[in-house]
Amino acid sequence: MNRYYWIVGAFAALVALLAVGLKLNPRDVPSPLVGKPAPAFSLPVLAEPERTIGPKDMQGQVWLLNVWASWCVSCRQEHPVLVEFSKNGKVPVIGLNYKEVRGDGGFDMGKLGADEEKALAFKRAAQWLAQHGDPYRLTVMDLDGRVGIDYGVYGVPETYVIDKTGIIRMKHTGPITPDVLSAKILPLVAELNK
């Protein structure tokens, strides 16, 4: 009889855990970087390849870092939201183009030299923004994905809210929707700008 209660108790605990798990949003992935300084980088600017910028250049303002690539299907979903949002100009949005060529999967990287990869990545990113609109104050190019690794990127799109002192205050995984923008990002930006 005692064994019966253990089996029923274990089954009830398993059902309770599964019920809690089903209510969780798989996109809400906690980031160990929230509350910590944004990792430093110095990457070339898409529109001016000879110029580099990094988080230190954004000190003194609240800004968004949006990780994207032209091959990213979900980026196409969020892009019109970003284009519309950028029109108000209240918060600078910096694009981090992530592994534009390497992430595509359609290229044999063994046959593509570094200069060819760079030229192709810059061309593809510029064409995509010209076709779909450019919501970014500027875009930096993370050709090999090393900066993405530093930021804990495991898929695009991802967006970071970074405060005036360079501290990451929020990470959003997946496409930004109007609801995410109005319910999460804009209230946080308003609070950080006080």
Side-chain angles (χ1 to χ4, degrees), residues 38-107:
F41 62 78
S42 181
L43 291 174
V45 175
L46 175 61
E48 303 172 66
E50 66 287 343
R51 178 179 165 214
T52 61
I53 72 143
K56 67 180 179 349
D57 298 306
M58 300 301 291
Q59 292 271 328
Q61 56 190 322
V62 177
W63 57 289
L64 304 182
L65 179 68
N66 178 255
V67 184
W68 70 280
S70 69
W71 47 261
C72 164
V73 175
S74 295
C75 296
R76 290 178 190 255
Q77 179 185 349
E78 84 169 353
H79 202 74
V81 175
L82 290 175
V83 169
E84 189 61 34
F85 171 70
S86 70
K87 290 178 183 176
N88 73 28
K90 291 180 182 177
V91 181
V93 182
I94 304 299
L96 177 71
N97 181 273
Y98 179 70
K99 295 170 62 170
E100 179 61 41
V101 175
R102 294 178 190 204
D104 187 333
F107 297 94

Side-chain angles (χ1 to χ4, degrees), residues 58-63 162-167 192-194:
M58 300 301 291
Q59 292 271 328
Q61 56 190 322
V62 177
W63 57 289
I162 302 172
D163 73 13
K164 294 177 183 181
T165 63
I167 304 295
L192 294 172
N193 272 323
K194 286 183 179 177

Side-chain angles (χ1 to χ4, degrees), residues 37 128 134 137 143 186:
W128 196 86
D134 189 349
R137 177 175 284 180
L143 299 176
L186 289 176

Side-chain angles (χ1 to χ4, degrees), residues 110-184:
K111 295 181 180 178
L112 203 59
D115 289 339
E116 291 174 296
E117 177 189 3
K118 182 177 180 180
L120 183 58
F122 276 71
K123 179 181 176 185
R124 285 170 45 120
Q127 286 176 338
W128 196 86
L129 290 174
Q131 180 181 358
H132 298 284
D134 189 349
Y136 306 111
R137 177 175 284 180
L138 54 85
T139 293
V140 293
M141 303 296 289
D142 186 14
L143 299 176
D144 60 9
R146 290 183 188 185
V147 171
I149 290 170
D150 291 343
Y151 276 78
V153 171
Y154 69 89
V156 290
E158 291 186 5
T159 303
Y160 300 82
V161 177
I162 302 172
D163 73 13
K164 294 177 183 181
T165 63
I167 304 295
I168 295 175
R169 295 300 175 186
M170 178 185 159
K171 175 183 179 181
H172 176 75
T173 303
I176 291 177
T177 63
D179 289 342
V180 167
L181 196 57
S182 63
K184 292 183 177 181

